[in-house]
Amino acid sequence: DTAVSQTPKYLVTQMGNDKSIKCEQNLGHDTMYWYKQDSKKFLKIMFSYNNKELIINETVPNRFSPKSPDKAHLNLHINSLELGDSAVYFCASSQGGGELRAFFGQGTRLTVV
Amino acid sequence: QKEVEQNSGPLSVPEGAIASLNCTYSDRGSQSFFWYRQYSGKSPELIMFIYSNGDKEDGRFTAQLNKASQYVSLLIRDSQPSDSATYLCAFARSGYALNFGKGTSLLVTP
């Protein structure tokens, strides 16, 4: 039973398109995240949500819009995709309340052509 | 941006040896520190966390924290080829997310 699952696993799309990545966790955690891992493997926080409320927006272009319909789901919508958006996007969750041990989904490899 | 510094490696150790991975951080307010392992093409996997100064052992892994020196390390005893991966150091920022280092690539040779 997958704890943090995200779909799709691979996404290839053209510049200028809009795409979404979905994430769900069944751990009962209060906090969810989106991380971006670039080609140099640097893993950087993009957004953090706690109980559906945005806590961290780490200077991400406003083409990226996270949405948390409930605390088990955190989706990422990206408008007007650019070549530089190509990366692996990881969803993660942690218990919250200061407990930050994060558990990661399998990642979505986004390629913009 | 609060920084986490790691030597990118690769660090090469023979099978059965002790692998020592190091990390320094700049945020003196950090209270929680984590080590993740990431195999190529896979997601990061939590292997150790440490909150207090000193050593914490779990099986073949030992995490060491020195807050005065802003230094955290991971020792892997009896290294196995299956330990070959990238090891990411992370610290907690603002109570709501982890900041990661760029990772150290470890290669354990048979």
Side-chain angles (χ1 to χ4, degrees), chain B residues 11-19 60 76-84 106-110:
Chain B
L11 172 66
S12 183
V13 300
E15 184 174 356
I18 296 175
R60 296 186 296 114
I76 307 174
R77 288 181 300 282
D78 189 23
S79 295
Q80 301 297 309
S82 59
D83 294 325
S84 298
L106 173 66
L107 178 63
V108 181
T109 55

Side-chain angles (χ1 to χ4, degrees), chain B residues 27-103:
Chain B
D27 184 359
R28 285 196 170 272
S30 299
Q31 296 296 320
S32 309
F33 302 87
F34 305 82
W35 282 99
Y36 283 78
R37 177 176 63 198
Q38 187 174 24
Y39 292 112
S40 181
K42 301 295 186 182
S43 58
E45 172 194 8
L46 178 66
I47 53 172
M48 289 289 286
F49 59 95
I50 185 166
Y51 301 153
S52 305
N53 274 331
D55 294 1
K56 179 180 178 183
E57 188 174 317
D58 184 1
R60 296 186 296 114
F61 299 101
T62 299
Q64 299 175 317
L65 175 60
N66 183 326
K67 291 186 180 180
S69 300
Q70 296 177 251
Y71 177 93
V72 59
S73 64
L74 178 70
L75 302 178
I76 307 174
R77 288 181 300 282
D78 189 23
S79 295
Q80 301 297 309
S82 59
D83 294 325
S84 298
T86 297
Y87 289 80
L88 304 169
C89 171
F91 74 92
R93 55 164 282 189
S94 308
Y96 287 107
L98 300 183
N99 257 28
F100 284 84
K102 295 186 178 181

Side-chain angles (χ1 to χ4, degrees), chain A residues 25-96:
Chain A
Q25 55 95 2
N26 63 5
L27 296 168
H29 287 168
D30 287 343
T31 307
M32 295 186 73
Y33 314 87
W34 280 109
Y35 281 87
K36 178 181 180 180
Q37 190 167 45
D38 61 24
S39 57
K40 295 183 178 173
K41 308 301 182 187
F42 184 37
L43 192 61
K44 187 173 179 188
I45 182 73
M46 299 174 67
F47 301 103
S48 170
Y49 269 74
N50 188 61
N51 271 320
K52 304 192 297 176
E53 186 178 330
L54 179 65
I55 302 298
I56 291 175
N57 178 343
E58 192 62 20
T59 60
V60 177
N62 58 16
R63 298 183 296 104
F64 290 79
S65 51
K67 283 192 173 44
S68 183
D70 55 62
K71 71 176 192 178
H73 295 84
L74 180 62
N75 304 321
L76 184 65
H77 187 76
I78 315 170
N79 289 326
S80 304
L81 278 154
E82 300 176 358
L83 292 177
D85 297 331
S86 296
V88 180
Y89 292 84
F90 286 102
C91 177
S93 72
S94 66
Q95 192 169 338

Side-chain angles (χ1 to χ4, degrees), chain A residues 10 19 21 24 26 72 76 79 82 84 106-108 112:
Chain A
Y10 300 97
K19 290 293 177 185
I21 307 171
E24 175 182 4
N26 63 5
L76 184 65
N79 289 326
E82 300 176 358
Q106 74 271 36
T108 296
V112 182

